[in-house]
Amino acid sequence: MSPLMRHKYSDYMHWSKTQSRARFNLATSGVGGFPLRELRVNLEKLEINGDNSYGYAPLQEAIAVHHGVDPECVVESAGTSMANHLAMAAIIEPGDEVLIEHPAYGPILDVAQYLQANVKRFPRTEENGWMVDPAEIRRCITTKTRLIVITNLHNPTSVLTPDSVLREIGDIARSVGALVLVDEVYLDAVYQGTPRTSFHLGPEVVVTSSLTKVYGVSGLRCGWILAQPDLAWKMRRLNNLYSATPVYPGELLSVVAFKHLSLLRERARPIVEVDRKLLHEFLAQQPAISAVQTDWGTTSFVRLRNANADVFLNRLRDDFETSVVPGRFFEMPDHFRIGMGVSTEMFAEGLSRIGRALA
Ligand SMILES: Cc1ncc(COP(=O)(O)O)c(C=O)c1O
């Protein structure tokens, strides 16, 4: 690719849309779908058009209440995907340094490259339980750094970053005038003692999230950004170049989803919890694989010891009808990601097939 040509694709998203499905699909990242019939919605009240030029006020209010923030700080977006894009595009100029965790969710890297950022990486290592080590950020930050990006919970490992570490990262960012983008799309999968959004930790923190992964309503594409009011306006105005206005019926349904948020979350919770228990039992019996075990989250990042992961994953798919996400999409080709929370029957059978493929 010529250095003047921009990066304009996501290999991971393309794979996910075209090749991730299988009879036993463990290549998922969020919980199973919440059916419309179980959402207590009066369809007679649904409407196609309405007042939502810069977002639908009741939805902005619902997001603001959910997080305990001012509605002025809430920017609606089409999922966390568009939230990450808008946030980064509003903050980064070509050539700006952006520090992104490694391993990372592919599309975050793709967007930073598309925006012609000078992308630098800081490692989260398996030996350190995949935790963010602020010393690693300190090591690579410079006065040209404009943004530090992390996911919390971390995709692919589901490791939680505590507020104390996030605060330290905020301090490092502030020392060079940079911002911190925290993608919290999985944070509400911490079912007990759910942390408050890191947006409250300081004005240098920008947060993205959505109802897609933990609440089972991905189809609504209800996403958002939390940012200081000036920056929030920059993002709304930038969005005039993209999707301009949100989908109004989606916003109406999203308001209903917010009214019943705990119903949506609790429906998936027992499935996630049983799947995690099965995964931990399975890992204990399988010397050929290992993973940092977490209490929360819908994904686990598994290391395959002493075997070629591509050969193994192809055999798993072809001979055992089971899919997982290849670690190469997280730049770690001897790992793979397993998703929990869709159907325990499917998950259990998928694990059993992984076991047979390993044998
Ligand atoms: C860390 C992370 N951010 C964003 C997204 C995209 O989320 P959404 O479906 O809300 O666009 C994903 C989806 O897998 C993700 O893992």
Side-chain angles (χ1 to χ4, degrees):
M1 193 162 82
S2 140
L4 294 176
M5 281 175 73
R6 295 219 271 163
H7 178 97
K8 292 184 183 168
Y9 53 84
S10 161
D11 281 336
Y12 167 67
M13 284 304 290
H14 186 62
W15 177 88
S16 171
K17 288 178 174 184
T18 59
Q19 287 172 62
S20 70
R21 290 189 191 92
R23 187 163 160 219
F24 303 97
N25 183 358
L26 273 52
T28 55
S29 57
V31 303
F34 189 94
L36 179 62
R37 66 177 177 277
E38 288 181 32
L39 193 62
R40 294 166 194 160
V41 59
N42 180 353
L43 289 176
E44 307 242 307
K45 289 205 171 151
L46 205 57
E47 197 38 275
I48 294 174
N49 304 296
D51 181 7
N52 68 346
S53 296
Y54 278 113
Y56 178 53
L59 179 56
Q60 276 170 336
E61 183 68 29
I63 297 167
V65 167
H66 176 63
H67 286 303
V69 305
D70 191 310
E72 272 296 293
C73 300
V74 175
V75 182
E76 277 181 43
S77 68
T80 317
S81 304
M82 194 51 151
N84 284 336
H85 187 117
L86 277 180
M88 286 196 266
I91 293 167
I92 300 168
E93 300 301 335
D96 280 350
E97 253 175 35
V98 176
L99 311 189
I100 300 179
E101 64 190 5
H102 177 284
Y105 172 61
I108 289 179
L109 276 175
D110 295 318
V111 170
Q113 283 161 5
Y114 168 71
L115 295 170
Q116 299 176 306
N118 177 10
V119 177
K120 291 166 76 179
R121 313 297 297 283
F122 59 92
R124 301 175 67 141
T125 64
E126 193 156 11
E127 300 71 50
N128 195 25
W130 301 114
M131 294 291 287
V132 180
D133 179 357
E136 294 290 351
I137 298 177
R138 230 176 249 116
R139 224 188 304 281
C140 56
I141 201 159
T142 75
T143 50
K144 292 195 188 127
T145 304
R146 186 77 188 101
L147 188 66
I148 301 167
V149 188
I150 77 160
T151 50
N152 194 31
L153 308 177
H154 181 216
N155 182 3
T157 68
S158 287
V159 165
L160 172 70
T161 300
D163 279 0
S164 55
V165 172
L166 290 167
R167 247 188 228 110
E168 212 175 325
I169 298 169
D171 291 344
I172 300 169
R174 200 174 332 109
S175 71
V176 296
L179 298 177
V180 185
L181 174 60
V182 187
D183 175 330
E184 293 182 351
V185 72
Y186 298 102
L187 190 62
D188 287 357
V190 178
Y191 291 119
Q192 256 174 303
T194 312
R196 281 211 314 169
T197 172
S198 54
F199 185 66
H200 294 289
L201 297 180
E204 58 283 335
V205 179
V206 175
V207 163
T208 53
S209 194
S210 70
L211 294 185
T212 60
K213 301 293 172 192
V214 182
Y215 296 98
V217 287
S218 177
L220 293 179
R221 306 311 297 142
C222 175
W224 59 90
I225 306 151
L226 306 180
Q228 295 303 312
D230 286 0
L231 185 56
W233 267 112
K234 211 170 156 192
M235 292 172 191
R236 290 187 197 105
R237 294 188 61 163
L238 178 60
N239 198 33
N240 283 333
L241 312 190
Y242 297 114
S243 48
T245 46
V247 177
Y248 187 70
E251 292 174 304
L252 293 181
L253 287 171
S254 298
V255 170
V256 179
F258 266 101
K259 278 198 183 116
H260 304 294
L261 221 44
S262 56
L263 175 75
L264 272 65
R265 189 161 88 139
E266 291 303 317
R267 186 180 193 271
R269 177 176 176 170
I271 305 170
V272 176
E273 289 180 342
V274 173
D275 286 3
R276 184 187 333 284
K277 192 163 169 287
L278 290 176
L279 176 66
H280 289 176
E281 287 165 8
F282 177 73
L283 287 169
Q285 294 158 5
Q286 297 290 339
I289 55 176
S290 64
V292 169
Q293 299 188 11
T294 62
D295 292 335
W296 314 111
T298 49
T299 64
S300 181
F301 204 39
V302 179
R303 174 197 281 273
L304 183 61
R305 297 182 213 263
N306 307 322
N308 180 312
D310 277 334
V311 172
F312 171 72
L313 296 184
N314 285 340
R315 213 159 63 78
L316 184 63
R317 166 182 289 284
D318 295 345
D319 299 349
F320 296 94
E321 299 177 277
T322 302
S323 63
V324 294
V325 181
R328 69 186 140 90
F329 291 117
F330 302 94
E331 307 156 287
M332 307 217 75
D334 53 358
H335 286 66
F336 56 91
R337 194 190 72 186
I338 285 185
M340 294 165 268
V342 178
S343 144
T344 293
E345 201 184 348
M346 180 179 78
F347 188 76
E349 183 59 28
L351 286 186
S352 148
R353 283 166 183 247
I354 291 173
R356 278 154 52 199
L358 285 169

